[in-house]
Amino acid sequence: MAPGAIPEAVGGRWPQGELPTEAVGSLPRPARLQRAVLDAETGLATLAELRDEQDRAVRDTLQRLAATGSPIISDGEQRRQSFASYPLGSGGDAAVIEEGPVFAVFADGHHRVIPSLARAPFRFRAWAADDVAAARELTGVPLKQAVISPSMLSLMVPAAGLGAYTREEFLDDVVSGCAEDIRRCFAAGASRVTIDFTEGRLALRRDVRAPWAGPEALGGFIELINRVLERLGPAERAAVGVHTCPGNDNDSAHSADVDYAELIPELFQIEAGYFLVQAASERDPDRVARLIGRQLRQRSRGADSAPRVLLGVTRPTSPKLETAEQIRDQLVRAARFIPAELLGSTDDCGFSPYLIDEKPRHGSPDFARDVAFAKIAARVRGTALANDELGGGASAEPLFDAAPGDTGRPAPREPVAQGGEIS
């Protein structure tokens, strides 16, 4: 495949006259896979036995996603320990990686940490493309792949660097590795790639327990993502999305109390082809669409074309199923602010970004897995219903006309849910 190219079969192209829909990335791992991982770590299972369970989970995921009618699918990250650790390789070499600082404290009180680089230089030891290639052998349905952000990787080395390995050298290596990670995904057969950017909203939360976080971090994160995108060809860049959400781990969020009005104007400084934006679990999903509409108008007034936006219409933290009609209605309302030709749907977050996830609000990982597929099926049906109602177009606010008082600055804060819990 030529540099800068993407699979010719789909080529990242968006369907004409249809609202696109796709998942974010992760799906709950079966309980037997979670047990196999823990058994392999303690020597109770062989690597071959673990791989058999991973293969079983991947095959089941691809088959069940295809059965939902999803036009583009993935392996649900069944082989990954977490969305943030796969570049480090399986298990993580203790000579290279050590436990780092707290990444996020979730609303239920639990926390996750950031792996920390113990020895320079930083290099990808595994690639997301490996998952794409394995999935490509099992299905003819178009594939997408979620990849780690350079901003998440940037948290692995302190500001002072690592001995003679300066932070500037480290960030150069991170940017190079992330761009290569995306290119390899396309070469392996992915039609679209999305960058996980859950740390974007979290960066706006001041929390002494997560010392890296703070509004000053967000600008540096966006600069890093744009540096990666600059290394891609135009066709690749158009097929790369950026996903934002307030996190999802053990059915809890880490930054749902951060006002989207602070994040969205900054988010749309990223030169991505499209965005996946959590919305269904917000107190007012229509407000999210309205804030996005403002940014699309601003982008259209400039030299750049407005990106497509896939709005979250299902809530992975909740076992309650959305109906296709509820999803249709959310998308039709959103089309008042986002033109239908730029609108699509997704889930609010990955359903299980970390492999070991007890899913307490669901009762078990296996039930959570069944719920996830049911929610995805409802999203596919609801998106089709919205497409029928919109008739291929919608009377959104004109992109080239500024709304009254539209300055592009964050809107005044509105009351938000307390405690960061997504209801």
Side-chain angles (χ1 to χ4, degrees), residues 313-323 326-327 351 361-362 367 371-372 374-375 378 423:
V313 295
T314 67
R315 300 179 297 166
T317 57
S318 172
K320 182 178 180 180
L321 293 179
E322 296 81 6
T323 67
Q326 288 171 328
I327 291 168
F351 282 88
R361 293 179 67 180
H362 291 75
F367 181 66
V371 168
K375 284 176 176 277
S423 60

Side-chain angles (χ1 to χ4, degrees), residues 59-136:
R59 285 193 298 270
D60 180 71
T61 298
L62 294 171
Q63 291 169 0
R64 295 178 73 176
L65 281 176
T68 67
S70 295
I72 185 168
I73 63 177
S74 77
D75 73 350
E77 302 179 15
Q78 301 298 288
R79 303 181 197 277
R80 294 189 188 179
Q81 289 280 353
S82 81
F83 77 102
S85 63
Y86 74 86
L88 309 178
S90 60
D93 186 344
V96 179
I97 301 299
E98 58 189 14
E99 186 172 292
V102 170
F103 166 60
V105 179
F106 289 76
D108 65 357
H110 86 278
H111 71 276
R112 294 284 187 173
V113 299
I114 306 164
S116 184
L117 193 66
R119 188 179 69 199
F122 171 81
R123 294 289 185 269
F124 270 65
R125 300 163 67 84
W127 304 93
D130 298 338
D131 294 341
V132 179
R136 184 74 290 162

Side-chain angles (χ1 to χ4, degrees), residues 10 15 26 39 46 63 65 71 87 168 178 207 235 242 246 252 326 332 366:
V10 176
S26 65
D39 286 348
T46 66
Q63 291 169 0
L65 281 176
E168 289 71 25
C178 287
D207 190 337
V242 171
S252 185
Q326 288 171 328
V332 170
D366 289 337

Side-chain angles (χ1 to χ4, degrees), residues 370-395:
D370 291 341
V371 168
F373 288 115
K375 284 176 176 277
I376 290 168
R379 167 168 54 74
V380 172
R381 293 194 302 272
T383 303
L385 291 175
N387 188 74
D388 291 343
E389 185 153 333
L390 293 170
S395 56

Side-chain angles (χ1 to χ4, degrees), residues 28-289:
R29 284 67 159 183
R32 62 183 293 164
L33 173 56
Q34 296 193 32
R35 286 195 299 271
V37 169
L38 295 176
D39 286 348
E41 289 177 351
T42 56
L44 297 176
T46 66
L47 182 58
E49 290 171 330
L50 173 58
R51 286 176 176 165
D52 285 345
E53 288 300 332
Q54 291 172 328
D55 291 344
R56 185 198 308 270
V58 168
R59 285 193 298 270
D60 180 71
T61 298
L62 294 171
Q63 291 169 0
R64 295 178 73 176
L65 281 176
T68 67
S70 295
I72 185 168
I73 63 177
S74 77
D75 73 350
E77 302 179 15
Q78 301 298 288
R79 303 181 197 277
R80 294 189 188 179
Q81 289 280 353
S82 81
F83 77 102
S85 63
Y86 74 86
L88 309 178
S90 60
D93 186 344
V96 179
I97 301 299
E98 58 189 14
E99 186 172 292
V102 170
F103 166 60
V105 179
F106 289 76
D108 65 357
H110 86 278
H111 71 276
R112 294 284 187 173
V113 299
I114 306 164
S116 184
L117 193 66
R119 188 179 69 199
F122 171 81
R123 294 289 185 269
F124 270 65
R125 300 163 67 84
W127 304 93
D130 298 338
D131 294 341
V132 179
R136 184 74 290 162
E137 295 181 356
L138 299 173
T139 181
V141 180
L143 293 171
K144 70 160 288 184
Q145 182 63 44
V147 299
I148 194 169
S149 68
S151 44
M152 176 63 77
L153 290 174
S154 76
L155 301 175
M156 291 177 57
V157 164
L162 192 63
Y165 188 50
T166 68
R167 183 161 176 82
E168 289 71 25
E169 291 172 323
F170 164 65
L171 293 179
D172 287 344
D173 289 339
V174 163
V175 168
S176 296
C178 287
E180 180 65 16
D181 198 28
I182 293 171
R183 283 194 294 263
R184 285 177 178 238
C185 286
F186 287 131
S191 296
R192 288 198 285 276
V193 174
T194 54
I195 299 171
D196 286 322
F197 190 41
T198 186
E199 66 276 13
R201 193 167 180 178
L202 184 57
L204 294 171
R205 192 165 193 244
R206 296 187 182 277
D207 190 337
V208 296
R209 298 168 296 180
W212 66 268
E216 64 280 356
L218 182 59
F221 287 174
I222 290 171
E223 179 185 358
L224 281 175
I225 295 175
N226 279 334
R227 284 177 60 186
V228 170
L229 294 173
E230 287 171 359
R231 295 190 176 212
L232 305 178
E236 292 172 319
R237 201 158 48 244
V240 173
V242 171
H243 168 244
T244 183
C245 74
N248 173 27
D249 184 36
N250 282 297
D251 293 333
S252 185
H254 55 51
S255 55
D257 54 345
V258 173
D259 193 343
Y260 253 147
E262 297 181 43
L263 174 65
I264 286 177
E266 305 302 322
L267 181 70
F268 280 82
Q269 302 304 308
I270 298 174
E271 299 295 332
Y274 69 109
F275 293 87
L276 304 90
V277 182
Q278 169 261 354
S281 51
E282 288 294 297
R283 183 178 60 84
D284 183 0
D286 296 348
R287 177 175 180 260
V288 179

Side-chain angles (χ1 to χ4, degrees), residues 337-372:
F337 311 105
I338 302 172
E341 64 269 19
L342 298 178
L343 182 61
S345 69
T346 186
D347 309 300
D348 268 4
C349 301
F351 282 88
S352 195
Y354 295 89
L355 189 153
I356 304 300
D357 187 344
E358 296 178 354
K359 308 303 289 185
R361 293 179 67 180
H362 291 75
S364 74
D366 289 337
F367 181 66
R369 186 171 170 85
D370 291 341
V371 168

